[in-house]
Amino acid sequence: MAGGRGRTRGLGVEPCTVLLLAAAFVAAAGPAHAAGAGRSCQEVRSAFQLRNIGPATWVPDTPEQGQGLAVCSAGKMSCCSRRTELRYLTAAVRDVREAVRAEALPLRNALARHSTQIIDTFQVALRQAWTRMNQALEEAEPTLVGLTEKPTAELFTDLALHVLGSQKPPPASLARFLDAIFPPLFARLAADAEPQGDSDTKAMAAAVEATDGGFMECLSGARGEVDPFGEATRLAGAHLTWALDITREILISLSRGGELMNLTESAPLSVSCSHALLRSLYCQHCRGLTLIRPCSGLCLNTMRGCLSGFSEVSPHFKSFAGALSEAASSLSIPQGIRAALDALPQAIGEGVRLARSDASRLIKEVSRMCKAPIKSHMHVERSKNSTTAPVTSATAEQLTSELRDLVLTLRPQQGFFAWLPGSLCQSAFSTTIGSAHCWDGEEVVEKYTRPVMASGLKAQRENPEIKINSLDPRITKVIDKLRYATQVLRARIARHPNHGWSLGDGTAENWVESSGNCDDEDGCWDSGSGDSLTAASIAPQMLGIGVQMSRDANPTGASPCLVRPRLTMDLVILFILWLTLASM
């Protein structure tokens, strides 16, 4: 060193000035490269072909005047023509659709899987309840074997079809079942009472044995008034109806959730959104910059703008998923679906025993309502062998387990649409934390300087990257469906006929506990929608991330280059101007 400590030999220039000039050269080389002065488009050609955007021959060997470009810096030297720009536009939309599909796929598959598993397990559980019903009837009145199998089969077929969407309400099916089993039961009661009975009793017994059509119809009609099976049967029927209605609504809701995921994967994208995606993802290729990625702020503005309609879906989906979780929870607790399936066969068996114990009253009331003709005795063929199968509670336990798994799947997904834009940026489309430079849609910068707008249609109207129009009609329709489904689910939950317990005692609430609130300051993506998110479940906030050079080496923040600052800055400015002019 000569001419003083800290100066470059023979030049008399501060070392920091040399470093700043070198940094300025690197920064200015970017625009020079972007303008294409003396540069090749070979990297762009390779990327164009490798990413299946189009044939490499569509990209020139060297930058040309970018005439005809609609989005990517028209008028500058470019590796793009209008034809390649259009292919980049198609690729940008394709890439985002594929990324959205990848984000939605786990939830869509989970909804479909749970729907299939619940249907399959429920049908097995219903068949087991069918078997228990046959056994209960046989134990309560062995002489009914073979006479009640058909109405029992019709009952459980109707119940299964109701869960799958038919318009046969369970109360009507249960009423038809009771109407059907009362005549053979009454025949047995009248036959047992015949030796000690009067002429009316003997006539009724004969009429039933002869299956007299008019008398049998009168018996079925009288069942509701004489009430042979008691209050327990009505309560068990109401309990099962409640459980079946909720199961039906859960399956309908899972189907609607799948439809929503399908709409999300084919999200309607406006022209303004498509252009913003092109600026964010591929316009830098036209400048020869194939490796630089969008700034996180640019990515968030672009994704939030493109998916602004779905941010309006977010609060309704959260309520819908919460109600669906509550419905599944209400069926999985001890008073839920297993208790409902177990209660009906037991109540029917008790009802048959009650009818036998109350036979004298029933015979007297029926004789008052139904006059039987005198006919000779005709015996009805009865099956001597029951077709019942072994009964196990394993399937009911499995159904309860499936419902709990559904709750555990839905709980962390309630904020799906709130954090979708941020998740897309984190996983695929923006710079990573610690990157020194990024693409702001026009130039390579250290930090995105435009305001980053919060989620929601109202906030997105001020988005600097995208022009936001009115809400898409398809999304409006989805919101209406979600609102309706949420109302129906909660109405079904509240209709449980047993007033001895309620969902408010904490038995069901344990499955749908809140995840807590989260703000932007807490490190959450996309909390501007107002949805509750947790920092543990989503990525850290990446807005405005930049690299501060030499902070670790100089924690005070004071610059070491304070000698002759005015001369240093003048030299840097002149050097940048010279490089810019030389590149034109």
Side-chain angles (χ1 to χ4, degrees):
M1 300 294 293
R5 184 179 181 182
R7 295 179 180 274
T8 304
R9 185 184 301 272
L11 293 178
V13 181
E14 296 292 340
C16 285
T17 301
V18 176
L19 291 174
L20 287 172
L21 288 172
F25 177 81
V26 172
H33 177 68
R39 299 285 182 175
S40 170
C41 294
Q42 185 58 43
E43 291 183 8
V44 180
R45 297 187 72 175
S46 298
F48 196 77
Q49 185 173 20
L50 289 174
R51 298 189 184 191
N52 295 319
I53 299 172
T57 54
W58 286 21
V59 179
D61 293 329
T62 58
E64 299 175 352
Q65 191 70 29
Q67 295 180 351
L69 298 180
V71 180
C72 297
S73 302
K76 294 184 178 181
M77 298 298 291
S78 176
C79 291
C80 292
S81 63
R82 178 57 180 161
R83 182 168 63 169
T84 56
E85 185 185 50
L86 288 174
R87 294 303 290 265
Y88 274 130
L89 180 66
T90 301
V93 173
R94 177 201 66 193
D95 292 350
V96 170
R97 288 196 187 280
E98 289 179 353
V100 171
R101 185 175 297 111
E103 292 289 335
L105 186 62
L107 179 55
R108 186 187 67 173
N109 288 347
L111 294 176
R113 183 182 70 254
H114 282 300
S115 179
T116 300
Q117 291 174 345
I118 289 173
I119 289 174
D120 292 344
T121 310
F122 177 79
Q123 288 179 335
V124 174
L126 205 60
R127 284 196 295 270
Q128 291 182 353
W130 180 349
T131 300
R132 288 194 294 273
M133 179 74 84
N134 285 329
Q135 290 179 343
L137 288 169
E138 181 180 2
E139 292 170 0
E141 188 61 53
T143 59
L144 293 180
V145 173
L147 298 178
T148 58
E149 288 183 358
K150 182 180 178 181
T152 302
E154 291 175 349
L155 168 65
F156 282 92
T157 300
D158 286 349
L159 297 181
L161 291 175
H162 172 73
V163 169
L164 296 178
S166 79
Q167 299 303 315
K168 293 184 178 180
S173 299
L174 286 167
R176 283 194 297 271
F177 167 73
L178 296 176
D179 289 345
I181 69 171
F182 179 58
L185 173 61
F186 183 82
R188 186 68 265 166
L189 299 179
D192 290 346
E194 182 181 351
Q196 299 83 25
D198 54 20
S199 59
D200 287 341
T201 302
K202 295 177 181 180
M204 286 188 293
V208 174
E209 289 288 346
T211 62
D212 180 88
F215 185 72
M216 299 289 283
E217 184 178 350
C218 182
L219 272 181
S220 296
R223 193 271 313 167
E225 186 169 339
V226 300
D227 190 21
F229 301 111
E231 181 70 14
T233 302
R234 285 194 295 274
L235 288 176
H239 191 181
L240 183 59
T241 297
W242 169 84
L244 295 179
D245 283 346
I246 289 189
T247 304
R248 173 189 171 108
E249 290 303 325
I250 286 175
L251 293 175
I252 291 173
S253 297
L254 289 173
S255 177
R256 284 178 177 151
E259 292 174 3
L260 178 56
M261 292 299 104
N262 289 337
L263 177 61
T264 305
E265 294 175 10
S266 59
L269 303 178
S270 65
V271 173
S272 178
C273 164
S274 300
H275 287 177
L277 291 174
L278 173 59
R279 280 194 302 273
S280 176
L281 302 179
Y282 285 114
C283 276
Q284 58 269 47
H285 286 221
C286 296
R287 308 282 289 275
L289 306 172
T290 59
L291 300 180
I292 199 74
R293 303 186 71 183
C295 299
S296 59
L298 171 65
C299 183
L300 282 174
N301 272 343
T302 302
M303 296 303 168
R304 286 176 177 175
C306 286
L307 301 176
S308 58
F310 288 101
S311 66
E312 298 300 302
V313 172
S314 179
H316 304 288
F317 180 77
K318 182 179 180 182
S319 297
F320 165 77
L324 187 52
S325 295
E326 292 171 14
S329 296
S330 69
L331 290 181
S332 66
I333 59 178
Q335 299 89 345
I337 187 68
R338 181 181 178 185
L341 291 173
D342 288 343
L344 185 64
Q346 181 180 355
I348 294 296
E350 292 175 356
V352 170
R353 285 186 284 270
L354 175 64
R356 174 159 286 283
S357 67
D358 203 18
S360 59
R361 179 187 69 84
L362 294 176
I363 292 173
K364 185 180 297 185
E365 292 192 13
V366 168
S367 65
R368 178 177 53 83
M369 300 174 64
C370 303
K371 298 299 182 182
I374 302 297
K375 293 187 179 181
S376 60
H377 285 247
M378 296 177 61
H379 296 283
V380 179
E381 292 294 328
R382 297 187 180 96
S383 171
K384 299 300 182 181
N385 298 318
S386 173
T387 59
T388 57
V391 180
T392 174
S393 63
T395 303
E397 289 289 354
Q398 184 180 356
L399 180 56
T400 299
S401 177
E402 294 290 350
L403 292 166
R404 287 177 174 172
D405 287 345
L406 174 60
V407 175
L408 295 175
T409 297
L410 289 171
R411 185 166 54 185
Q413 295 292 339
Q414 292 184 19
F416 174 80
F417 290 100
W419 50 254
L420 178 59
S423 182
L424 291 172
C425 290
Q426 178 202 10
S427 60
F429 296 122
S430 71
T431 54
T432 56
I433 297 177
S435 299
H437 297 88
C438 60
W439 176 256
D440 73 349
E442 297 177 357
E443 302 289 348
V444 177
V445 297
E446 292 186 0
K447 183 178 180 180
Y448 184 73
T449 57
R450 301 185 188 95
V452 178
M453 310 311 298
S455 295
L457 195 63
K458 183 177 180 181
Q460 286 300 308
R461 295 190 189 280
E462 305 297 325
N463 194 316
E465 305 295 340
I466 299 178
K467 181 180 179 181
I468 304 298
N469 297 317
S470 59
L471 198 60
D472 188 279
R474 286 175 289 181
I475 294 180
T476 302
K477 188 175 181 180
V478 164
I479 290 175
D480 291 340
K481 285 185 176 182
L482 291 176
R483 284 175 174 169
Y484 177 76
T486 302
Q487 292 172 357
V488 171
L489 284 167
R490 289 187 169 145
R492 291 283 186 262
I493 295 169
R495 280 185 196 167
H496 194 285
N498 186 349
H499 300 292
W501 67 279
S502 67
L503 297 180
D505 61 7
T507 52
E509 291 174 351
N510 292 335
W511 288 103
V512 289
E513 60 190 4
S514 174
S515 60
N517 296 323
C518 183
D519 301 317
D520 286 334
E521 291 79 6
D522 296 329
C524 294
W525 284 97
D526 285 63
S527 58
S529 65
D531 289 286
S532 297
L533 302 172
T534 58
S537 63
I538 54 179
Q541 181 61 270
M542 291 170 61
L543 299 179
I545 292 174
V547 177
Q548 297 184 358
M549 304 290 291
S550 66
R551 172 166 287 185
D552 293 338
N554 184 19
T556 63
S559 173
C561 300
L562 295 178
V563 181
R564 303 170 68 182
R566 181 61 181 272
L567 175 60
T568 298
M569 293 307 300
D570 289 343
L571 288 171
V572 170
I573 293 171
L574 289 172
F575 189 65
I576 292 175
L577 288 174
W578 176 77
L579 286 174
T580 302
L581 291 172
S583 65
M584 295 180 62

